[in-house]
Amino acid sequence: MPDAWAEIEKKCLTCTDCPLGQTRTKLVFGVGNKNADIIFVGEGPGENEDLQGEPFVGKAGQLLDKYLYHVGLDRTDNIYIANIVKCRPPHNRDPLPEEQDCCIKWLRAQIKLMKPKIIVCLGRIAAQKIISPEFRVTKEHGQFYERKGIYLMGTYHPAALLRNPRQKPETLQDFVKLHDKIAELCPDFEFSGD
Ligand code: URA
């Protein structure tokens, strides 16, 4: 059977549906366990991600790894991490709505293959694209919304926490809620460190 993941990644590599592919260094398709029950979604690659071809490897990514570790999650083991757009927007600007609209098909294809039970949106851009255009991170972070059997949750983007550390305790609480939701929905889930 052909490897469906490899097929879509190969197609994504040569995608020219928006201009971001012309200025990026590396495609940032995603990292982690493709059979995981949980997928984390950020907005798009930054400078370090663009150079290394992996999501969340800069300072924000190091902070994300700490929150993951705190609740027994690990990017190489029991989750998958991807972004709304797979190529770096120049100068780290927000991905434009039309770039998001072009690129979302790749994330949809990843989600279709993974069949995750939980999608965690990191920051406003991901939450507004996946949960609701009206999503307000300050008001709705940590709340789960069920849609077609998948639980969706938005929390602060780790880069926002680097700028505004006062929101760190709330974010930690969101990760603890996530841990409890995983335990409820996936009784056989293997938390790392257990
Ligand atoms: N910010 C994101 O939203 N995604 C990354 O991969 C890195 C930083």
Side-chain angles (χ1 to χ4, degrees):
M1 193 178 82
D3 180 344
W5 275 89
E7 290 281 308
I8 54 167
E9 186 166 357
K10 198 170 140 201
K11 283 192 190 146
C12 189
L13 261 170
T14 55
C15 174
T16 54
D17 292 352
C18 88
L20 293 182
Q22 291 164 23
T23 49
R24 68 137 199 262
T25 311
K26 285 194 177 170
L27 178 79
V28 180
F29 192 66
V31 69
N33 182 342
K34 298 177 177 101
N35 298 312
D37 287 317
I38 330 293
I39 180 169
F40 284 75
V41 182
E43 59 182 68
E47 186 180 11
N48 295 295
E49 293 75 20
D50 178 63
L51 292 172
Q52 295 183 40
E54 180 171 330
F56 287 99
V57 289
K59 283 219 168 72
Q62 288 164 20
L63 183 59
L64 174 63
D65 283 338
K66 283 189 192 164
Y67 285 100
L68 295 173
Y69 179 79
H70 187 75
V71 294
L73 301 177
D74 184 322
R75 68 164 68 208
T76 62
D77 176 23
N78 52 15
I79 59 165
Y80 192 80
I81 307 179
N83 280 306
I84 299 285
V85 300
K86 311 298 193 209
C87 299
R88 182 193 183 198
H91 313 295
N92 291 355
R93 65 161 168 74
D94 289 350
L96 302 173
E98 52 269 33
E99 292 162 351
Q100 297 179 38
D101 287 345
C102 275
C103 208
I104 196 76
K105 59 179 166 295
W106 304 114
L107 181 66
R108 289 216 178 97
Q110 289 170 306
I111 290 172
K112 199 170 163 191
L113 288 175
M114 267 188 80
K115 301 188 191 69
K117 293 201 168 72
I118 300 176
I119 301 176
V120 181
C121 301
L122 296 167
R124 174 181 59 88
I125 302 259
Q128 291 189 342
K129 193 71 190 161
I130 293 175
I131 302 176
S132 150
E134 276 83 48
F135 192 91
R136 297 277 305 275
V137 179
T138 45
K139 289 208 174 121
E140 295 171 82
H141 69 91
Q143 293 180 30
F144 285 91
Y145 301 88
E146 196 257 3
R147 198 179 298 152
K148 294 187 196 160
I150 303 181
Y151 285 79
L152 314 176
M153 188 264 264
T155 189
Y156 289 97
H157 193 287
L161 297 174
L162 293 173
R163 290 190 298 270
N164 193 354
R166 274 180 310 166
Q167 285 149 344
K168 284 185 176 180
E170 295 167 67
T171 307
L172 202 58
Q173 280 177 12
D174 292 350
F175 274 76
V176 172
K177 282 185 198 163
L178 171 64
H179 172 281
D180 295 349
K181 195 63 160 181
I182 298 170
E184 176 195 326
L185 297 178
C186 320
D188 298 327
F189 192 86
E190 293 189 16
F191 290 99
S192 41
D194 275 3

